[in-house]
Amino acid sequence: MKGRILTTGGAGYIGSHTTVELLKAGHSVVILDNFENSDRDRVARIPLIAGTADVRLVEGDVRDAQLMADVLKRHKIDAVIHFAGKKAVAESVANPLLYYHDNITGAVSVLSAMREVGCKNLIFSSSATVYGDTEMLPTRETAATSVSSPYGRTKLMIEEIIDDTAASLATFRAISLRYFNPVGAHASGFIGECPRGVPNNLFPYIAQAAAGIRDYVQIHGSDYETSDGTGSRDYIHVVDLARGHVAAVEHLLSSSADYAPHRKVNLGTGQGHTVLQVLHAFSKACGFQIPYQIGPRRLGDVPASLADPSLSLALFGWKPELDLEEMCRDHWNFQKRERDKSNIGMRIPPVTHKATSDHTDPHRAHQLTSGSRNVLN
Ligand code: WQD
């Protein structure tokens, strides 16, 4: 069944890639984003990449429950994919109340609006961070949870809020997708990850070092019990991750789906790579050695994380297909375009809805048209 899907935070890194894959799969999409941590120029390229203009943009804040209900009603949304939220671990430690306010309030607002209008399918952007430093490697969804940052705690708390909401509503169903380490970019190089300020995460930091924006990569620790002493992670290409969302939402929309009120499902590859292995692969992708130094461990890091990805295959028939080489190639391709500024953003045309009966349209939806003027090279 093709659906009308709302992606909250749909202009962000994972949200924009998921929106592209939803459109390519024939769904229509409404993006809700406040552009606090995303970029208008990139979202304007989505119709070009996806080859369809069946996507609308509502600029607004997910914490506004009235706006959420209006958007769900006006666009007759069949399913919500809730990405919007803050996601920097270090920032959450420095400012926990900001994370509790933004992430929890946003989730409660989405759930309240869905209950009010009777929208009964939710995909939640969760994280493998809920497993903490687990003994179970590869990690199945049944592993004990153990969060060590306010960011991780908000993810676990929202999963529990969804548990309670699903239990209270007869036909409501949800899937929380626990991402391992999303990296890479769309092969076009038109969308990708653009961290503001100094990147916390490995891939964007390596990419900026390769682009000459950073002098070298600092490797956080080389005395872990891994093959070469550096930290090991389960990196997953963001396009694979996006396709996992499409499979999950189509599972919810299909009438034959299992009727578990709320499932938690890993999105990972089951393949681990160390920091040095990533650096080596990225150097191959860009064609030169990337400078690095070995430093002390980073507070809060776990030695290794690794998904057991079997449930996503069993439930949705989905598995990741892109490997580390493709992750590095596509991440580097995007970074080069960013560095060379070889593309100039396309402005979103100010198309507004017909005025509603009250002659004001509080939540103008911009039609993102593939035909709109663009100066992409
Ligand atoms: C990966 C490895 C570092 C930077 C975080 C969040 C998690 C999720 C993904 C949202 C580790 C090492 C890193 C650097 C390094 N986000 N590293 N030098 O910490 O596994 O997960 O992002 O859901 O919630 O916690 O990802 O990319 O920061 O680190 O050596 O400059 O790279 O020590 O071993 P992490 P990461």
Side-chain angles (χ1 to χ4, degrees):
M1 170 194 169
K2 297 309 171 197
R4 293 176 296 268
I5 317 292
L6 172 67
T7 56
T8 73
Y13 174 45
I14 298 168
S16 56
H17 285 85
T18 301
T19 299
V20 166
E21 297 304 321
L22 286 167
L23 292 168
K24 285 169 63 179
H27 301 283
S28 61
V29 180
V30 176
I31 296 170
L32 176 83
D33 208 297
N34 65 4
F35 291 104
E36 193 180 282
N37 192 23
S38 48
D39 186 309
R40 285 174 181 74
D41 283 354
R42 283 196 192 81
V43 81
R45 298 176 192 149
I46 287 175
L48 276 176
I49 303 170
T52 167
D54 195 2
V55 51
R56 286 165 178 73
L57 169 66
V58 174
E59 190 164 344
D61 195 311
V62 72
R63 292 164 294 183
D64 175 345
Q66 189 52 58
L67 166 66
M68 281 304 304
D70 289 353
V71 170
L72 292 174
K73 248 182 286 190
R74 179 193 298 264
H75 298 282
K76 300 183 178 59
I77 296 297
D78 299 307
V80 175
I81 305 183
H82 178 44
F83 292 106
K86 294 194 182 322
K87 59 165 192 165
V89 173
E91 183 187 47
S92 80
V93 174
N95 194 347
L97 292 176
L98 175 69
Y99 272 65
Y100 291 123
H101 178 266
D102 282 19
N103 292 2
I104 305 298
T105 306
V108 171
S109 168
V110 168
L111 289 163
S112 304
M114 290 181 75
R115 183 188 57 187
E116 180 188 327
V117 307
C119 180
K120 59 184 182 182
N121 299 297
L122 172 70
I123 302 288
F124 171 56
S125 166
S126 190
S127 168
T129 203
V130 302
Y131 297 120
D133 190 3
T134 178
E135 301 276 314
M136 185 199 290
L137 291 176
T139 305
R140 288 193 306 280
E141 290 80 356
T142 51
T145 54
S146 159
V147 287
S148 55
S149 73
Y151 160 74
R153 216 174 319 281
T154 63
K155 289 297 186 186
L156 194 54
M157 287 165 79
I158 293 168
E159 285 190 6
E160 290 166 350
I161 292 169
I162 295 170
D163 279 337
D164 293 339
T165 305
S168 72
L169 298 171
T171 57
F172 183 88
R173 286 188 296 142
I175 296 174
S176 287
L177 296 174
R178 292 173 172 174
Y179 309 158
F180 280 70
N181 286 61
V183 296
H186 189 270
S188 66
F190 286 169
I191 54 175
E193 185 178 15
C194 298
R196 299 200 166 154
V198 179
N200 291 308
N201 297 142
L202 180 65
F203 260 74
Y205 202 104
I206 290 179
Q208 289 190 7
I213 299 168
R214 309 288 165 197
D215 295 335
Y216 62 88
V217 176
Q218 168 101 345
I219 297 183
H220 300 322
S222 59
D223 58 350
Y224 289 109
E225 286 185 27
T226 61
S227 58
D228 58 26
T230 61
S232 176
R233 294 292 184 273
D234 185 330
Y235 297 100
I236 177 170
H237 197 296
V238 65
V239 172
D240 269 332
L241 193 81
R243 290 169 181 161
H245 285 74
V246 177
V249 78
E250 288 180 349
H251 172 77
L252 283 187
L253 292 174
S254 69
S255 54
S256 57
D258 74 319
Y259 281 88
H262 181 201
R263 280 196 179 279
K264 290 89 173 185
V265 182
N266 290 339
L267 288 189
T269 66
Q271 170 81 46
H273 293 286
T274 67
V275 177
L276 281 172
Q277 287 167 344
V278 170
L279 261 171
H280 178 67
F282 214 103
S283 294
K284 265 182 74 181
C286 61
F288 50 81
Q289 285 306 316
I290 298 165
Y292 68 87
Q293 288 183 8
I294 303 268
R297 291 183 175 190
R298 179 172 65 176
L299 190 64
D301 273 354
V302 298
S305 73
L306 185 66
D308 174 334
S310 48
L311 183 58
S312 58
L313 182 62
L315 264 186
F316 317 141
W318 169 86
K319 64 184 170 63
E321 295 166 355
L322 300 166
D323 63 16
L324 180 65
E325 185 183 335
E326 290 158 312
M327 295 175 207
C328 295
R329 177 200 65 196
D330 293 341
H331 209 117
W332 174 231
N333 179 47
F334 173 73
Q335 180 66 58
K336 274 192 298 181
R337 293 181 71 93
E338 285 303 290
R339 176 194 62 186
D340 304 346
K341 290 281 171 257
S342 63
N343 48 31
I344 300 166
M346 175 174 65
R347 298 278 164 257
I348 297 173
V351 176
T352 58
H353 261 320
K354 289 189 297 303
T356 53
S357 53
D358 61 4
H359 301 299
T360 57
D361 180 351
H363 314 306
R364 288 180 310 162
H366 297 284
Q367 171 92 27
L368 292 177
T369 54
S370 51
S372 51
R373 193 179 64 77
N374 76 76
V375 284
L376 295 177
N377 299 337

